[in-house]
Amino acid sequence: MNDQSMKAAMERGDGPMLAADGTPLKKSLARALRMQKIRALLLVAPLLIFVLLTFLAPIADMLFRSVENQIVSETLPGTTATLDDWEAGEGLPPEPVWRAFYFDLFLAAEAKEHTRLGSRLNYEFTGMSSLFRGAGRGIDDIGEDQAAAIIELDPRWEEGGFWHDLMSGTGDADVRFLDARRDRLERLTGDRYDGDIGFSPGAAVVDLLPLTARAYTDWALYTVLADGDAVIEVTPWEAVPVALFLDLRAADAAAVSGYDGPGRGDLFVAMLAARSSDPIDFRQSFIDLDEDFAIPTIWETIQTYSNRFTPGYFLNAVDLQLTPDGVSARDAGQRIYIVLFQRTMFMSLLITFSCILLGYPVAWILANLPMRVANMLMILVLLPFWTSLLVRTSAWKVMLQQQGVINDTLVWLGLVDDAARLVMINNQFGTIVAMTHILLPFMILPLYSVMQTIPPSYVRAAKSLGATNMTAFWRVYFPQSVPGIGAGSILVFILAIGYYITPEIVGGTKGVFISNRIAYHISASLNWGLGAALGTILLAAVLILYWAYDKVVGIDNVKLGG
Amino acid sequence: MKLTATLLSATALTVFGLPAFAGSHMADSMTLVSWGGAYQKSQHNAYVVPYLKMNPGVTITWDESSSEAVPKLRAMNEVGNVTWDLVDAEGPDAIRLCDEGLVIEVDHDKILADGDDGSSPSEDFGDMIISDCHIPQIVYSTTFGYRTDKVGNRPPKDVCAVFDTRTYPGKRALRKSPVANMEWALICDGVGIEDVYDVLATRRGQDRALNKLATIKDDVIWWSAGADTPQLLADGEVVMGSTFNGRLFSAIEEQNQPIGMLWDWQMFDIDGWVIPKGLPPEREARVLDFLKFATDTQRLADQSKWISYGPARMSSAPLVGKHAELGIDMAPHMPTDPENSKNTFVQNYNFWGDYKDDIDAKFQAWLAQ
C-alpha cells in the first residue's frame, strides 16, 4: 500500500489501521504476538511436559483411585448382576446369586484375583478378606461330586480332546461369544487375552448349554493363554461339569435328544444322570465352607459396592459408611479420621504460631544487625536447614526422651524427681517441639527478607514524633512486617500439614497426623483408595485455607523477599 | 540408572563382541532386596561375596526395601516394570504375595541344590517350606530383651511379665503390628496354647486380645524398625521390649549392653526369598543360578557366622560354628537351641495370611484411638 491510499484512509477516518507492510495493524500485531507466544510456549515446553508427566498426571491418577471401584463388578460380574434383583434386608440372597457367585469366584480364584477383591471388601466390612481367601481355597470341593460323577458315567469325560470336540460342535463357531469371554478375562486380570487358543465354541452348543459354554471357554482361554497348555491335553476344571449338570437339568429334553453334534449320546446319558442326582445347593455349600457366608451383611456389602464408582472411600475418610440404607456413622471403634483431621489442623496451627513467636525476634535481630554479623548469624539459621531431616528428628529423640539430655539436666538440678521424669516424647508435645524446630527456618527466612526492606528511618521518625518504643513498633514497624508473617505462615502451615516422618518418629500414637494414616494406607494396608481420598481431602483443605487467606489478608500482601 | 545400565551393556556388547555372552544367557546384573542392617550384611558376606568371586562379570545391587515389599511389588506389577530380581520376605508376606500372584511358584526340588548329606531340598528344608513361592533361608524369632539392671533380683522368666506393670514398672517396646502381640496377649489372658489361633479367628477373641493389650497401652512404645528396641533398651527408655533375636544378640554380645534374653514363648518366623513375577528370561536365569548357590547347605551355615539366626536347612545345622569376628560359639544364641526353645510358638502362617487384613485394620484403629 502506498502513502497516498494510507493518507486517504486516514483522512476518511474509517477503514482499518494499517501496518507498514500494508496488512491491517490489528492482524499484524496479533501475528507478532502469536509468534511470541509460541516461542514462549516452546521455551517452557520441556518443563511443562515434565511437570505434567511426572507430577500432575500421577497425582490425578492417584486421586482417581479415591472413587474408582471397578474391582467388584469386574471380579464378580455375574454376582453383581443377579444381586440387582435382591432387596437388602430380606435375609440371604436367592439361589441364582449363589450360583453366579460360584462361577465368578471359581474363575477369580484360578486367576488369583479373589484375594484382592477380599482385601478391597475388607475395608468396608472386616472379615471379608479371610472369608474370600478361605473360600478361594475351598471352592474346588463344591464341584467335586459332579466332576467325579460324570467320569463315572464314562471315563472319556476326563479327556481334554473329548470335551474339545463336544464344545466345538459341528456348525458355525460363535466368535462373538468367544470375544465376549476374552473381554471378561481381560477385565478380571488386567492382562491381554489375545491369540488363538485352538478352540472356538460352536453356536449350537452355546445355545443348548449356555453355562457350560461360558465355563468351558473361560477355562480354555485361561489354560492356553495364561498357563500355556493345550486345550485337548487337559481335563477342564470342576466348574465345567458343574455347569454341564446345571445346563442339562434346565435344558429341554427334546432339544438335547435332538442335538446332532459330536458326543450327543454321552450328552443324553449325562442328562439322565444330572436329572436323577440331587442338584447342588450352592447356598448350603458356601455356608458349609465358611459359616460367615450366612451373614447378610456380606451380601449387602457386595451389592452396595457393585458400582464402578463409589463415594465409599470418601465417606470412610470422614468416619461414615455406605450401607444399603444409605449413609451412616461407622462403629465407635473405627471412628478415627475426623479426630485425626482435627488434630492435624490444630497441631499445624500451633506449630505455625510457635514458629512466629520464636522466629520473629530472630528475624528482627538479623535484619537490624550490621551485615557482617547478620550473615554470620544467618549461617546458624541455615545450618540446621541444610541438615538431614532424619538427623534433626533423631537428635530431638535424644534430647526429649526420659533418659535424655533435658530430663537428665532437670534431675541433676533437682527440679524433677528421678522417679517422675517428664514424658516429652511419643506424644503431641514431642511432635510440636521437633516440628517447630525443623520448620523454623521457613518462618525466619521470609520474615528476614521482608524486615530488611523496612527503612529504620520510619521507626526513628515515629519516635521523634513522640511515640513510645512500644507504639513505634506496634503501629509502624509491625504492620510493615505482616507480609513476611503471612508468607512464613503459609509455608510453615502447608509444610506442617503434610509432614509424616517427624510425627512418625517422635509422635507415638497420640502425636501422629493424618499424613501418617495416608502413608500407612499406601504402604502397609494397601488401601490406596482410602489413602487417595484422605489425600484429596487434605489437598482440598489446604486450597480452601489458601483461598480464605487470600480473601482475608490478600495474597498480594505475601512477600517472600524484598 | 536403568538407562545407563542398558547403555553400558550395549557398549560392552559392541566393544567385547558377542562371544563373551554366548552360552550364558543370563543377565549380568541383579537387584536383591533385603532388610538392611546386620541381617543384610550377613547375606552379603555369606552369599554375595563368594558368588561374585565365582562370577566376576556380575554386579549385584542391594535395595533395603523388604519392609515395603508387598506394596512395591504390587505397584511394579501394575505398571508392568519389575525392577527387582530377588526379594527377601517374611513368611506371611510371602504367602500374601503368592496368593496375589505377584511372585512365581517354584518347585523346590527342581531349582535348589541337594543337601550336603544327600537329602533332597524338600526333605532338607522340611516344614520350613511354607509356601510354593517361598525359598526359606533362616529361622529367627521375635522375642523379648530386658534391662538386667532394672529388674532387681527377679529377672523375668515368663512372657507375661510384659503385662505385669506392678512387678516390672516402666515402658515396654512392642511392634506396631498385631502379629505376635495378639498371640502373647491371649496366652497371658489364659488361653491355652493350642487354642490361640482358634480364639483369634473370632471377633470376640480379637477383642479379648486387644482388651488385654489395652491394660498396658499407656506403657508401650510402639516400634516399626528392628533397630528401635535395642536402642530403647540401651538408652534405658524401656525396661523390656520385643524385637528379632539377632538384634538383641548384637546388642548384648557385640555392644555389651546390660540386656538379658527372655526366650519364653518366642515367636518363630521364617525368612526367605521370593522371585517377582514377570522377569525377562535372562534375568530369571541369573536369579535361579544365584538362588541355587545362595541356599545351599554351606552358604546357609556360613550366614550364621554373622548373625544369630538358625539356617533353614537341617543339613546346615552341624556346620554352624563360631562368630566370624567375636569367635564365640553361635549355637547357644540360636532361637532353635534346646535351652532357648523350651516354650516356642510357631507362627501360624496360613492364619496370618488369611486374617492379617482383618486384624490389622482393627489393631490400627485401636492404636489410633
Side-chain angles (χ1 to χ4, degrees):
Chain A
M1 185 172 287
N2 54 43
D3 286 347
Q4 285 206 330
S5 64
M6 200 151 84
K7 218 180 198 173
M10 282 176 74
E11 273 164 12
R12 283 201 308 276
D14 60 354
M17 188 84 94
L18 298 177
D21 61 354
T23 51
L25 184 62
K26 209 170 162 186
K27 217 165 150 189
S28 168
L29 205 63
R31 190 196 295 148
L33 280 177
R34 192 166 61 238
M35 287 307 292
Q36 252 179 16
K37 272 186 199 156
I38 290 174
R39 202 180 310 142
L41 199 66
L42 282 177
L43 279 171
V44 298
L47 181 65
L48 189 69
I49 293 169
F50 180 76
V51 168
L52 277 177
L53 285 182
T54 63
F55 187 65
L56 292 178
I59 287 184
D61 177 65
M62 206 62 211
L63 295 186
F64 178 64
R65 287 173 190 269
S66 61
V67 290
E68 192 244 55
N69 187 47
Q70 290 162 356
I71 184 167
V72 183
S73 56
E74 280 173 1
T75 315
L76 304 176
T79 316
T80 51
T82 44
L83 267 176
D84 277 349
D85 305 330
W86 174 66
E87 286 281 327
E90 286 176 1
L92 289 173
E95 189 66 10
V97 173
W98 295 85
R99 198 171 66 202
F101 182 66
Y102 167 77
F103 288 110
D104 285 342
L105 188 65
F106 193 96
L107 189 60
E110 291 294 339
K112 292 191 167 184
E113 296 290 335
H114 66 301
T115 54
R116 259 183 218 199
L117 178 68
S119 300
R120 161 71 189 94
L121 291 171
N122 196 62
Y123 306 145
E124 312 304 338
F125 185 64
T126 311
M128 297 277 267
S129 178
S130 52
L131 184 69
F132 271 71
R133 280 166 194 267
R137 266 198 303 276
I139 196 159
D140 290 353
D141 302 344
I142 294 182
E144 229 175 15
D145 293 347
Q146 268 69 15
I150 203 162
I151 292 164
E152 238 167 68
L153 290 179
D154 192 325
R156 283 196 301 155
W157 286 104
E158 211 171 3
E159 291 166 19
F162 173 74
W163 274 101
H164 175 264
D165 294 344
L166 174 76
M167 299 310 293
S168 299
T170 41
D172 296 337
D174 194 338
V175 180
R176 276 176 53 198
F177 182 81
L178 181 62
D179 288 341
R181 300 322 289 174
R182 284 187 205 270
D183 279 355
R184 156 89 171 95
L185 273 164
E186 280 176 10
R187 279 200 302 274
L188 173 68
T189 60
D191 299 327
R192 303 290 299 159
Y193 275 87
D194 295 332
D196 181 45
I197 57 166
F199 163 75
S200 43
V205 184
V206 173
D207 246 13
L208 184 70
L209 308 168
L211 286 175
T212 319
R214 248 186 268 169
Y216 184 83
T217 312
D218 290 345
W219 168 80
L221 283 165
Y222 191 80
T223 304
V224 176
L225 297 173
D227 288 348
D229 292 327
V231 175
I232 50 166
E233 284 166 9
V234 195
T235 315
W237 54 42
E238 287 84 352
V240 178
V242 170
L244 184 70
F245 269 49
L246 284 170
D247 275 336
L248 290 174
R249 288 184 73 85
D252 182 9
V256 176
S257 49
Y259 177 70
D260 61 354
R264 59 175 183 265
D266 299 277
L267 218 47
F268 191 78
V269 176
M271 179 177 79
L272 297 180
R275 295 194 175 193
S276 61
S277 65
D278 291 331
I280 301 184
D281 184 344
F282 285 102
R283 179 201 306 212
Q284 199 50 47
S285 306
F286 274 109
I287 294 174
D288 289 345
L289 214 54
D290 192 324
E291 58 190 20
D292 276 4
F293 275 114
I295 303 175
T297 319
I298 300 279
W299 300 95
E300 288 165 13
T301 310
I302 296 176
Q303 190 188 39
T304 314
Y305 288 91
S306 58
N307 293 329
R308 295 174 64 79
F309 297 98
T310 177
Y313 290 120
F314 276 101
L315 292 172
N316 197 343
V318 288
D319 293 339
L320 299 171
Q321 63 185 345
L322 200 58
T323 64
D325 313 321
V327 176
S328 68
R330 290 206 155 236
D331 293 346
Q334 296 177 327
R335 267 180 248 152
I336 50 176
Y337 296 110
I338 295 280
V339 176
L340 275 171
F341 272 118
Q342 285 169 344
R343 187 194 290 165
T344 306
M345 290 291 162
F346 171 73
M347 286 175 66
S348 299
L349 279 176
L350 211 60
I351 289 162
T352 312
F353 279 116
S354 318
C355 281
I356 297 175
L357 280 181
L358 293 174
Y360 197 91
V362 177
W364 185 82
I365 290 174
L366 286 175
N368 285 289
L369 281 173
M371 208 46 150
R372 258 192 52 224
V373 189
N375 281 344
M376 284 289 290
L377 290 177
M378 195 55 146
I379 299 285
L380 295 182
V381 176
L382 290 176
L383 210 57
F385 191 54
W386 292 332
T387 312
S388 154
L389 176 74
L390 275 173
V391 172
R392 280 184 287 165
T393 308
S394 309
W396 275 111
K397 226 170 147 173
V398 177
M399 295 288 286
L400 294 176
Q401 60 187 8
Q402 284 192 287
Q403 307 293 326
V405 178
I406 295 178
N407 263 314
D408 281 350
T409 314
L410 291 175
V411 169
W412 180 71
L413 288 172
L415 295 172
V416 169
D417 185 54
D418 197 12
R421 288 172 174 249
L422 302 176
V423 183
M424 293 185 290
I425 200 166
N426 296 321
N427 53 19
Q428 300 197 356
F429 182 81
T431 305
I432 290 171
V433 170
M435 281 184 62
T436 303
H437 170 247
I438 285 163
L439 294 173
L440 203 51
F442 292 97
M443 181 63 78
I444 294 178
L445 293 176
L447 269 176
Y448 169 71
S449 60
V450 168
M451 285 178 178
Q452 254 193 333
T453 63
I454 303 174
S457 50
Y458 288 5
V459 175
R460 267 184 248 139
K463 281 187 194 165
S464 73
L465 290 171
T468 60
N469 278 343
M470 191 57 210
T471 318
F473 169 77
W474 190 245
R475 302 276 302 275
V476 175
Y477 192 86
F478 182 78
Q480 297 186 81
S481 66
V482 163
I485 296 181
S489 300
I490 287 189
L491 270 180
V492 170
F493 183 78
I494 290 177
L495 283 173
I497 221 172
Y499 249 53
Y500 84 93
I501 295 178
T502 305
E504 185 71 37
I505 295 176
V506 298
T509 53
K510 292 276 183 279
V512 293
F513 283 9
I514 194 74
S515 37
N516 296 88
R517 291 304 291 182
I518 298 178
Y520 165 76
H521 283 307
I522 298 294
S523 67
S525 80
L526 302 189
N527 190 350
W528 289 357
L530 180 55
L534 290 169
T536 310
I537 294 177
L538 198 57
L539 185 64
V542 170
L543 290 176
I544 289 172
L545 285 170
Y546 185 77
W547 173 81
Y549 183 90
D550 185 32
K551 285 279 156 203
V552 176
V553 183
I555 216 68
D556 297 340
N557 284 329
V558 169
K559 277 190 193 166
L560 283 168
Chain B
M1 212 184 83
K2 195 114 201 275
L3 183 71
T4 339
T6 323
L7 286 177
L8 278 178
S9 53
T11 323
L13 268 179
T14 41
V15 173
F16 302 109
L18 271 170
F21 288 81
S24 69
H25 300 299
M26 286 187 211
D28 53 0
S29 70
M30 200 166 38
T31 303
L32 305 183
V33 185
S34 186
W35 302 87
Y39 179 59
Q40 185 175 306
K41 197 177 135 202
S42 74
Q43 292 177 313
H44 186 77
N45 288 334
Y47 317 154
V48 173
V49 171
Y51 186 78
L52 290 182
K53 213 170 267 173
M54 288 163 49
N55 300 276
V58 178
T59 51
I60 289 181
T61 315
W62 283 104
D63 186 329
E64 304 183 358
S65 304
S66 273
S67 55
E68 294 177 332
V70 179
K72 286 202 168 170
L73 278 173
R74 189 167 137 181
M76 286 182 196
N77 178 272
E78 243 177 65
V79 181
N81 180 19
V82 181
T83 57
W84 291 348
D85 293 290
L86 192 57
V87 183
D88 192 291
E90 287 177 309
D93 279 351
I95 289 179
R96 194 169 170 187
L97 288 165
C98 203
D99 276 350
E100 295 199 9
L102 296 173
V103 292
I104 61 170
E105 291 180 11
V106 297
D107 181 343
H108 293 81
D109 281 334
K110 243 183 218 163
I111 66 156
L112 301 178
D114 283 346
D116 276 6
D117 55 2
S119 54
S120 74
S122 55
E123 287 164 20
D124 204 8
F125 284 107
D127 293 342
M128 302 291 160
I129 297 177
I130 49 168
S131 154
D132 290 339
C133 301
H134 195 232
I135 300 116
Q137 294 167 63
I138 51 123
V139 186
Y140 66 97
S141 78
T142 305
T143 192
F144 283 89
Y146 61 89
R147 283 284 293 216
T148 46
D149 54 344
K150 294 211 172 167
V151 292
N153 50 5
R154 42 197 305 191
K157 292 256 173 277
D158 179 354
V159 74
C160 297
V162 174
F163 294 92
D164 183 0
T165 45
R166 196 174 295 166
T167 318
Y168 304 102
K171 299 252 180 202
R172 290 100 167 85
L174 290 177
R175 190 176 189 178
K176 202 192 260 181
S177 151
V179 183
N181 291 334
M182 299 291 265
E183 286 100 321
W184 284 322
L186 286 182
I187 292 173
C188 295
D189 204 33
V191 175
I193 204 76
E194 61 286 350
D195 301 328
V196 165
Y197 285 109
D198 291 338
V199 174
L200 206 51
T202 62
R203 285 157 203 271
R204 281 194 30 215
Q206 292 156 16
D207 291 340
R208 182 174 171 186
L210 288 178
N211 286 336
K212 181 69 180 174
L213 285 170
T215 60
I216 54 165
K217 194 177 177 186
D218 290 337
D219 297 301
V220 174
I221 296 177
W222 301 96
W223 60 268
S224 40
D228 288 348
T229 297
Q231 186 63 51
L232 289 166
L233 281 168
D235 289 349
E237 279 294 292
V238 295
V239 60
M240 56 182 78
S242 68
T243 188
F244 314 123
N245 70 292
R247 304 275 182 170
L248 289 169
F249 168 80
S250 59
I252 297 169
E253 297 295 337
E254 292 170 8
Q255 292 152 24
N256 297 314
Q257 297 292 339
I259 299 173
M261 297 289 293
L262 172 57
W263 290 102
D264 188 45
W265 294 123
Q266 54 166 319
M267 178 76 61
F268 271 160
D269 201 346
I270 296 164
D271 206 82
W273 298 113
V274 288
I275 307 169
K277 201 177 203 168
L279 290 181
E282 67 275 13
R283 273 169 65 193
E284 195 170 300
R286 171 60 71 193
V287 166
L288 290 174
D289 186 61
F290 173 78
L291 200 58
K292 188 166 189 171
F293 173 79
T295 55
D296 69 13
T297 302
Q298 187 60 45
R299 253 38 67 182
L300 291 186
D302 284 350
Q303 191 179 0
S304 60
K305 282 184 197 159
W306 305 92
I307 199 151
S308 59
Y309 294 144
R313 275 185 191 262
M314 278 172 246
S315 61
S316 300
L319 303 175
V320 170
K322 291 183 187 309
H323 191 279
E325 282 155 6
L326 300 176
I328 52 173
D329 256 338
M330 290 304 278
H333 298 280
M334 294 290 169
T336 41
D337 188 74
E339 195 57 32
N340 301 335
S341 54
K342 281 178 198 152
N343 280 335
T344 59
F345 206 98
V346 181
Q347 200 187 106
N348 185 333
Y349 302 99
N350 291 324
F351 175 86
W352 279 114
D354 280 0
Y355 284 88
K356 181 96 189 270
D357 281 344
D358 309 6
I359 297 180
D360 199 42
K362 272 194 170 180
F363 179 80
Q364 296 290 340
W366 173 82
L367 259 192
Q369 286 195 331

